[in-house]
Amino acid sequence: MAGESALHDEGGTGQPILLLHGLMGSARTWGRHVSWLREHGHVFTFDAAGHGRPAPAQLTTEAFVEDLAAALAPFAEPWVVIGHSMGALHAWCLAAEHPEKVSALVLEDMAPDFRGRTAADWAAMISNWPQPFTTREDLFEFFGPVAGQYFLDSFEKRADGWYLHGDVDTFRDISEEWGGRHFWDQWASITVPALLIEGEFTITPDGQMRTMAERHPGAEYVRIEQAGHLVHDDQPEQYRKVVEAFLDGLG
């Protein structure tokens, strides 16, 4: 079944909780949060297609969501889905396309409308990264402590060092899709409780996450100070505090 082998059982009991990583990430990027999330349910992580495994034939959000839905098909109970960036988009699009699969959403630093933006310069920069990164210290020196850990958790480790775990063109085209369409309609169809978390130094277009919350009576918006795009790793204690309060409130 498509996607099934990319679903990882991280343990715990109770309501199923699914963690979805961002673009160029992996299931392992959630490793520092799994232990406390286990206190709230049975935790699973997921490796998106194109991230260490084959990408869909069509690089559309719908194709990634269907790959994810196939992995969840054996499970009858709906999931609390926690997503960062690309994972947040896939989370709410999963809720839109398969509402029976989702009981609540935690969405981190992602907005519905990036139209007009391009990933061409960003992809060119990635193509010039000095791969392989021979040591862990090389990664941290190049990316800094937070992003360095993210990529250390994500990259493929080979005998001579760490390499990007996917194709630059694939990552570019995933991002390029967001620059050519919006996902407001999918958001408008969602009725489950939702927590929207935005970093102070966000990558999202100004005001969009607040507008998402305003348009959804069951949504709460939280802005976390001194956090960049990787809110959960930039400010882990604040992230944990707001997520645990949300999960406790689900009853």
Side-chain angles (χ1 to χ4, degrees):
M1 182 178 297
E4 188 172 12
S5 63
L7 188 67
H8 310 287
D9 187 338
E10 306 286 359
T13 60
Q15 67 180 348
I17 298 173
L18 177 64
L19 307 179
L20 302 180
H21 64 79
L23 185 64
M24 299 173 62
S26 82
R28 297 186 299 275
T29 61
W30 289 108
R32 290 168 294 286
H33 300 272
V34 165
S35 60
W36 63 263
L37 283 164
R38 285 196 199 104
E39 299 173 15
H40 299 274
H42 189 168
V43 179
F44 292 77
T45 57
F46 183 75
D47 284 308
H51 294 68
R53 63 188 186 90
Q58 299 296 319
L59 294 176
T60 64
T61 295
E62 287 79 6
F64 284 96
V65 168
E66 288 312 305
D67 176 75
L68 172 60
L72 304 183
F75 301 87
E77 188 174 355
W79 300 71
V80 175
V81 186
I82 299 175
H84 166 247
S85 193
M86 178 187 76
L89 174 63
H90 292 176
W92 88 66
C93 288
L94 176 71
E97 293 298 322
H98 300 275
E100 76 286 354
K101 289 292 185 187
V102 179
S103 61
L105 293 164
V106 176
L107 308 175
E108 177 188 347
D109 224 57
M110 189 60 176
D113 191 352
F114 287 86
R115 284 178 295 178
R117 298 192 182 190
T118 177
D121 291 344
W122 167 79
M125 177 189 69
I126 295 171
S127 296
N128 289 322
W129 284 355
Q131 297 186 74
F133 293 91
T134 307
T135 68
R136 295 164 58 96
E137 289 71 26
D138 290 339
L139 276 161
F140 289 120
E141 181 177 352
F142 191 80
F143 295 109
V146 175
Q149 186 64 57
Y150 182 84
F151 288 123
L152 181 66
D153 292 339
S154 303
F155 282 7
E156 178 187 351
K157 179 68 165 64
R158 304 179 192 171
D160 59 343
W162 282 266
Y163 288 82
L164 192 63
H165 59 308
D167 185 74
V168 173
D169 290 347
T170 296
F171 295 142
R172 179 200 63 209
D173 291 348
I174 291 170
S175 183
E176 284 288 323
E177 185 209 23
W178 306 338
R181 61 182 293 198
H182 69 80
F183 299 89
W184 282 113
D185 294 341
Q186 290 88 339
W187 178 248
S189 73
I190 292 167
T191 59
V192 297
L195 172 63
L196 280 61
I197 301 172
E198 188 170 31
E200 179 181 359
F201 308 112
T202 181
I203 66 162
T204 64
D206 186 47
Q208 283 196 24
M209 293 196 77
R210 289 183 183 271
T211 301
M212 290 172 72
E214 291 166 359
R215 294 184 182 182
H216 182 352
E220 174 189 1
Y221 169 86
V222 176
R223 181 177 184 264
I224 295 186
E225 303 296 323
Q226 298 299 309
H229 182 51
L230 286 160
V231 180
H232 59 286
D233 284 332
D234 250 347
Q235 296 294 333
E237 293 305 318
Q238 287 299 309
Y239 176 85
R240 176 177 177 175
K241 179 179 178 181
V242 298
V243 172
E244 287 196 310
F246 175 75
L247 295 177
D248 289 342
L250 294 176

